[in-house]
Amino acid sequence: GDGPADLRVDGLQVRYGRAVTALDDVSLTVPAGGVVALLGSNGAGKTTLLRAVSGTLRLYRGGVTAGTVTYGDRSLDGTDPVAAVRAGVVQVPEGRRVFGGMTVDENLRAGGLGRVRRDADGGNAAARERVYGLFPRLAERTGQRAGLLSGGEQQMLAIGRALMAWPRLLLLDEPSLGLAPLMVERIAEVVREIHAQGTSVLLVEQNAAMALALADHAYVLEVGRVGLSGPAEELSRSDEVGRLYLGEG
Ligand code: ATP
């Protein structure tokens, strides 16, 4: 079906070459229809986990050396990005890598190339309509070169491009990075809306306040291992998370 399934990561170990073990024995679950936050400081392994799920690890010369990744009843072990998108798992990369020389609309069309669900006529008008509905700012700028958009608008476009493939699970890598508070709030609203439309979300953030406000459940990665985890509400009240990630005393 088109609905979301459970993502299960079990005992995952990931290495880059022989020297770097980026993840060691990491287990986590994103329940169907849930929003899960993955927190942690620089280099903790957050991006690496997303890469392992979205099948992009090999592009960075990384490899899974132990553990499993499953989405519903499908194994994502050793998967590649095309197969992951077919399974409904789509990553929005960190740093909003949009195609700067292409227009907003061309970026969206490119995002729809690997999609599973098509309109009756084989096109992608329904997906574009959805994206422009979520992001009216992009609808006002369909013909503008993406490189000329503001940082926040580029983040919107990066998310919109991922949505063109109709993900069942959206992997977001630091969508708030470098954005002004108002724009962060706008992005948070859109993530809520995407979730309300029936998509699971795995949200990697250094902005713990934003992530914990959005998520049901959260995990904290500490140099490649899961430290704390629990209901987001509980973690946001924990002294350790407050001190380390929310800038409290
Ligand atoms: P950040 O917020 O800085 O992106 P992160 O929590 O996402 O941090 P990762 O980017 O997953 O962390 O990095 C985890 C570890 O793996 C770090 O020690 C990093 O230097 C290393 N690493 C990441 N990518 C590669 C690579 N392509 N080759 C070698 N080492 C890498």
Side-chain angles (χ1 to χ4, degrees):
D2 282 341
D6 293 347
L7 173 75
R8 287 210 179 77
V9 173
D10 194 28
L12 195 68
Q13 183 183 68
V14 172
R15 289 191 176 179
Y16 295 103
R18 292 214 180 121
V20 182
T21 303
L23 295 177
D24 197 13
D25 198 19
V26 168
S27 299
L28 64 79
T29 302
V30 182
V35 179
V36 169
L38 186 58
L39 311 175
S41 31
N42 276 315
K46 306 180 298 298
T47 298
T48 298
L49 185 117
L50 294 189
R51 288 174 182 162
V53 174
S54 67
T56 53
L57 201 50
R58 262 172 296 177
L59 302 176
Y60 301 91
R61 298 175 173 276
V64 172
T65 41
T68 57
V69 180
T70 56
Y71 188 61
D73 52 15
R74 214 188 280 230
S75 166
L76 294 182
D77 294 337
T79 193
D80 59 76
V82 174
V85 169
R86 276 209 195 102
V89 176
V90 182
Q91 181 173 357
V92 180
E94 185 181 346
R96 36 183 181 272
R97 272 168 250 134
V98 296
F99 304 119
M102 286 164 49
T103 68
V104 166
D105 206 57
E106 285 164 351
N107 269 271
L108 292 187
R109 286 170 191 280
L113 291 178
R115 74 197 182 283
V116 182
R117 199 196 295 185
R118 285 163 196 278
D119 296 355
D121 64 0
N124 56 17
R128 283 164 67 232
E129 212 166 285
R130 174 191 184 201
V131 170
Y132 286 134
L134 283 166
F135 300 109
R137 273 209 211 206
L138 296 182
E140 292 160 13
R141 291 165 173 76
T142 54
Q144 182 167 319
R145 275 181 49 193
L148 301 176
L149 298 173
S150 73
E153 289 161 356
Q154 288 187 17
Q155 182 62 64
M156 291 176 179
L157 182 55
I159 296 172
R161 194 177 57 188
L163 290 178
M164 292 296 293
W166 290 110
R168 304 154 76 198
L169 170 64
L170 188 65
L171 309 173
L172 283 167
D173 198 351
E174 303 217 25
S176 79
L177 194 70
L179 302 185
L182 259 182
M183 189 55 81
V184 173
E185 187 42 48
R186 182 75 201 102
I187 298 287
E189 279 168 22
V190 166
V191 174
R192 268 192 205 100
E193 181 64 25
I194 292 166
H195 172 241
Q197 292 178 359
T199 311
S200 312
V201 177
L202 177 54
L203 173 63
V204 159
E205 264 298 339
Q206 291 209 34
N207 183 338
M210 179 234 198
L212 291 173
L214 278 171
D216 320 313
H217 204 91
Y219 295 82
V220 180
L221 272 184
E222 290 163 5
V223 259
R225 285 175 171 270
V226 174
L228 296 170
S229 67
E233 204 188 326
E234 235 166 70
L235 283 197
S236 59
R237 280 190 269 108
S238 117
D239 288 343
E240 195 178 346
V241 171
R243 194 162 34 80
L244 291 174
Y245 304 105
L246 296 171
E248 294 163 5

